[in-house]
Structures are given as structure tokens and as C-alpha cells.
């Protein structure tokens, strides 16, 4: 891992549990050894999701998959302008971008393994990949790990931190944030992890 950025915060926030969100992460060896590079988030049934995706004409296979889910393309139900999700799989080390048909096949294999591990429909699985561009993603490296992650998911602060570490590529520290807001008279808690 690179030297710690001078912009790194001196303390890291402790993210509280969010009802309906459980996470787990592991080392799958997708590109590097000795670091987490795969995370699974399991979401409560009925979870509604939205997304902001790149406008690039050369979006990756995971972006294409998520865009289709958000537009209702993968469901036989009438599209209502929202999507539902039960799982999110993110791998680091390989962006699965500029990989053509093999990239789409990798997404489909990831979705199949995750839907079986979580016990949900494929159209309820969102995926994201980050890392090296132009190299095919070998799902064999991690598909068998998703069932184990599904059994290990939890909602505590350590799970949020491990998930944030699993999505790092050239980052020198994990990015986490939490805030509380009041919306329509109710207190709402927001947790976020990011890379870059």
C-alpha cells in the first residue's frame, strides 16, 4: 500500500448500525494478496434504491447492469421509476471495464452467485467493480466466497470499516462518513463509504 496521504484525516468516524443493512468483506485475491478486495452488502427485503451513474459511452459491464436495473429493463414487472435491491457486490483490483462480452458474462456470474448466496432474485443484485481497466475479471476467484460472506454479514461499525477497505484501489486510507438529518419530522441516519 502507498504511503499515507497528507490529506488523510487524523481520526476516522465510527459508523453506527443502520437497520436493514448488513455487510461483510474478505480477501479474495482478485489482484493483490494480503488485503480485502471483495465486499457484500445484504439489504432488507423491500429496500428501494437509486443511482447516479456515469454518462460515458464506454461504461463498464457493472455500470451497464445497474443502469438496466434502475430503468426496469431486467424485471418483468411494470417499472415504477424505482428499483429494489437485496444485495450489492463490490470488488476492487479489476474494474471489469473494456472487457466486452467477457465482462458481461462476469457480471452475470457474479449476480448468479450473489443471488444464490443471499436468496434473492438476480434483478435484486447490484454490482460494482473498481481497479485495473481492460483485463477480464475472473469470477472464479471470488464467486465461491459470496456464500461465506452472506453468512457473515453484520451491521456494526467494524463491518462498515471493512467494507470501506475492500473497495480501495490506490487509496491510502478508507473513506467513511456518517450524518444524522431530520426529514419530515423524523431523524434519519446516513452512512457512506467511498473510494478515490
Amino acid at each position: 500500500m502507498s504511503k499515507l496521504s497528507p490529506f488523510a484525516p487524523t481520526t476516522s468516524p465510527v459508523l453506527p448500525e443502520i437497520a436493514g443493512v448488513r455487510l461483510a468483506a474478505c480477501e479474495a485475491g482478485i489482484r493483490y494478496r494480503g488485503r480485502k478486495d471483495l465486499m457484500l452488502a445484504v439489504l432488507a427485503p423491500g429496500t428501494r434504491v437509486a443511482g447516479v451513474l456515469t454518462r460515458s459511452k464506454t461504461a463498464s459491464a457493472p455500470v451497464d447492469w445497474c443502469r438496466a436495473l434502475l430503468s426496469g429493463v431486467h424485471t418483468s414487472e411494470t417499472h415504477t421509476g424505482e428499483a429494489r435491491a437485496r444485495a450489492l457486490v463490490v470488488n476492487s483490483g479489476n474494474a471489469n471495464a473494456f472487457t466486452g462480452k467477457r465482462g458481461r458474462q462476469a457480471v452475470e456470474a457474479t449476480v448468479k452467485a450473489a443471488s444464490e448466496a443471499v436468496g434473492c432474485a438476480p434483478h435484486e443484485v447490484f454490482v460494482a467493480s473498481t481497479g485495473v481497466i481492460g483485463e477480464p475479471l475472473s469470477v472464479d476467484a471470488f464467486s465461491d466466497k459470496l456464500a461465506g460472506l452472506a453468512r457473515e454479514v453484520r451491521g456494526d461499525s467494524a463491518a462498515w470499516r471493512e467494507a470501506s477497505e475492500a473497495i480501495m484501489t490506490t487509496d491510502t486510507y478508507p473513506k467513511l462518513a456518517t450524518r444524522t438529518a431530520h426529514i419530515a419530522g423524523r431523524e434519519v441516519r446516513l452512512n457512506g463509504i467511498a473510494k478515490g
Side-chain angles (χ1 to χ4, degrees):
M1 189 172 296
S2 304
K3 183 179 171 186
L4 187 66
S5 167
F7 300 110
T10 56
T11 61
S12 185
V14 175
L15 275 58
E17 193 162 333
I18 300 284
V21 180
R22 295 172 298 139
L23 310 108
C26 71
E27 177 188 339
I30 293 168
R31 184 163 191 85
Y32 304 105
R33 302 284 178 232
R35 63 187 264 189
K36 290 178 177 54
D37 56 4
L38 180 67
M39 60 92 39
L40 172 69
V42 176
L43 309 168
T47 298
R48 290 181 285 180
V49 296
V52 178
L53 307 172
T54 182
R55 292 181 180 182
S56 172
K57 301 287 188 209
T58 58
S60 68
V63 169
D64 289 341
W65 174 266
C66 293
R67 182 177 286 124
L69 290 180
L70 291 168
S71 65
V73 171
H74 287 281
T75 68
S76 58
E77 304 164 12
T78 303
H79 182 56
T80 61
E82 66 183 39
R84 305 231 179 227
R86 289 293 319 286
L88 168 65
V89 179
V90 182
N91 75 272
S92 63
N94 185 311
N96 195 15
F98 289 105
T99 50
K101 181 179 179 182
R102 290 177 71 182
R104 290 187 298 277
Q105 291 170 336
V107 166
E108 290 167 4
T110 301
V111 166
K112 182 178 187 295
S115 67
E116 290 172 357
V118 173
C120 67
H123 68 264
E124 295 176 303
V125 178
F126 284 73
V127 293
S129 297
T130 181
V132 174
I133 294 171
E135 292 182 11
L137 175 63
S138 174
V139 178
D140 293 342
F142 64 84
S143 62
D144 61 329
K145 298 192 180 325
L146 291 170
L149 288 178
R151 289 189 297 272
E152 297 169 8
V153 292
R154 58 195 203 285
D156 60 40
S157 180
W160 282 96
R161 180 160 186 95
E162 290 167 12
S164 72
E165 292 169 352
I167 66 173
M168 293 170 52
T169 51
T170 57
D171 308 65
T172 63
Y173 63 93
K175 282 89 174 172
L176 307 96
T178 186
R179 294 290 183 272
T180 302
H182 292 275
I183 301 173
R186 295 181 61 193
E187 185 175 276
V188 177
R189 178 161 292 149
L190 305 169
N191 282 355
I193 60 175
K195 68 160 301 294

